[in-house]
Amino acid sequence: MPRGGFSAGSRKLELAVDTGNPLLNRTLDGFIKIGAVGACKVAAEDAFECLHKGNVSTNKLEHTLKKMCKEGAYWGTVAGVYVGMEYGVERIRGRSDWKNALIGGVVSGALISAASNSHRDKIVKDAITGGAIATAAEFINYLT
Amino acid sequence: MPRGGFSAGSRKLELAVDTGNPLLNRTLDGFIKIGAVGACKVAAEDAFECLHKGNVSTNKLEHTLKKMCKEGAYWGTVAGVYVGMEYGVERIRGRSDWKNALIGGVVSGALISAASNSHRDKIVKDAITGGAIATAAEFINYLT
C-alpha cells in the first residue's frame, strides 16, 4: 500500500492510499516517495542559496515552492513509470533479476522521452540511457 | 571479492580480484561492474547510430572504442566512490538504512565535483543532487 509521510522528531504524519491494484499501488508509491525526494532536493538547493546570499523574500519563497512542485512531480513521474514498468516486466517474465531493471529502464526512458515530444533518434538514445542507468542502479544495489 | 565477466551463450569469462580490504574490494567491484555498464551504453548508442546511418568505418570504430573507455572509466569512478563511501558510512554509523545512501551520495557528489575543479557553489549543489539521486535509488530499490 503506498505510504508517504513526514516525521519531525518522534512525531509522524503518515498517508496511505490503497487503489486495490498492486501495479497502481507501486506506481503511486514511487510517485509519492521519489516526488518527495525531488521536492526536498529543490528545497535544500534554494535554502543553501538563501543562506549564501543572505536575503529571503516572499517572492523567492513562492518561486521555490512552485519549483518544488514542478521538480517533485517530474521526479515522481519518472520513478512511478519505472517502478510500474519493472513490476510489469517481472510479472510477465516470472523472474526477478537485473534484466527486469534493464527492460524497465529502456521502456521508461523511451516512454518519458516520447511524452516530452522528442525526435525519434532522441527517443532511442534516451531509452538506452534509461536502461543503462537502471542497470547500474540495480548492480550498485547488490553491492551495497 | 570483485568479479567482472562476459558471457556469450553458455561460455563465461570471469575475472576476480581480491585486494584483501573489504572497502577496496567493494570500490573495485563497483568500478568494474558499472564501468562495464557505461561502456555498453556507449557501444549500444554508437551501434544504433551506425545502423541508422548505414556506414561503418575504422575511424568511427576507433572513436567508439575511445569513448567507451572514457565513459566506462567515468561511470566506474562515480560508482566506485559511491559504493566505497556508502560502505564506510555504514561501518561508521553501525546501521544499514537509507541515510547511508543519502550521506554516501552527498559525499560522493561533493568529491567528484571537487575533483573536476568546480566552483565552491557548484560543489554544494552537486553534493545535494548526489544525495537526492542516491536516496531516490535506495527508495526505488525497496519498492521493486
Side-chain angles (χ1 to χ4, degrees):
Chain A
M1 203 162 32
R3 282 167 190 283
F6 302 93
S7 68
S10 60
R11 273 153 225 225
K12 268 193 174 178
L13 172 72
E14 274 217 334
L15 166 80
V17 192
D18 191 1
T19 58
N21 178 325
L23 184 90
L24 255 182
N25 271 356
R26 270 158 204 257
T27 305
L28 208 63
D29 208 4
F31 181 83
I32 296 171
K33 284 195 180 143
I34 311 302
V37 173
C40 284
K41 180 195 158 251
V42 175
E45 266 178 6
D46 282 13
F48 166 71
E49 224 162 68
C50 277
L51 284 173
H52 193 59
K53 286 183 185 153
N55 62 338
V56 186
S57 68
T58 327
N59 246 342
K60 174 90 189 126
L61 214 68
E62 229 181 271
H63 176 77
T64 299
L65 270 175
K66 266 188 201 156
K67 213 172 131 197
M68 274 171 78
C69 290
K70 227 168 130 180
E71 200 140 334
Y74 184 74
W75 281 53
T77 310
V78 172
V81 169
Y82 170 70
V83 170
M85 276 300 148
E86 219 217 325
Y87 180 72
V89 171
E90 197 182 318
R91 288 300 294 273
I92 292 166
R93 288 185 69 229
R95 262 178 288 177
S96 172
D97 55 12
W98 64 269
K99 281 170 203 154
N100 290 346
L102 173 64
I103 301 169
V106 166
V107 179
S108 314
L111 267 180
I112 293 159
S113 186
S116 53
N117 288 323
S118 296
H119 189 255
R120 206 179 64 109
D121 283 15
K122 181 92 179 18
I123 294 177
V124 177
K125 287 216 170 161
D126 284 349
I128 293 171
T129 309
I133 292 174
T135 314
E138 186 78 8
F139 281 166
I140 284 185
N141 168 16
Y142 284 123
L143 292 176
T144 53
Chain B
M1 203 162 29
R3 281 167 191 285
F6 304 92
S7 68
S10 60
R11 271 154 226 225
K12 265 192 176 181
L13 172 71
E14 273 216 335
L15 167 78
V17 192
D18 192 0
T19 59
N21 178 323
L23 184 91
L24 256 180
N25 271 357
R26 270 158 204 255
T27 306
L28 208 63
D29 208 5
F31 181 83
I32 295 171
K33 283 193 181 146
I34 312 301
V37 173
C40 285
K41 180 195 159 251
V42 175
E45 268 179 5
D46 283 13
F48 165 72
E49 223 161 69
C50 277
L51 283 174
H52 192 59
K53 286 184 187 153
N55 60 339
V56 186
S57 67
T58 328
N59 245 344
K60 175 91 188 124
L61 214 66
E62 227 181 273
H63 176 77
T64 301
L65 269 175
K66 266 189 202 159
K67 213 172 132 197
M68 274 171 77
C69 290
K70 227 168 131 182
E71 200 141 332
Y74 184 73
W75 280 53
T77 309
V78 172
V81 169
Y82 170 70
V83 170
M85 277 298 150
E86 219 217 327
Y87 180 73
V89 171
E90 199 182 317
R91 289 299 294 272
I92 291 167
R93 288 184 69 229
R95 264 177 288 178
S96 172
D97 55 13
W98 63 271
K99 281 169 203 155
N100 290 346
L102 173 64
I103 303 171
V106 166
V107 178
S108 314
L111 267 180
I112 292 158
S113 185
S116 53
N117 288 323
S118 297
H119 190 254
R120 206 178 63 108
D121 284 16
K122 183 90 178 19
I123 293 176
V124 177
K125 288 215 169 159
D126 284 349
I128 294 171
T129 309
I133 292 172
T135 314
E138 187 77 8
F139 282 167
I140 284 183
N141 167 17
Y142 284 123
L143 292 176
T144 54

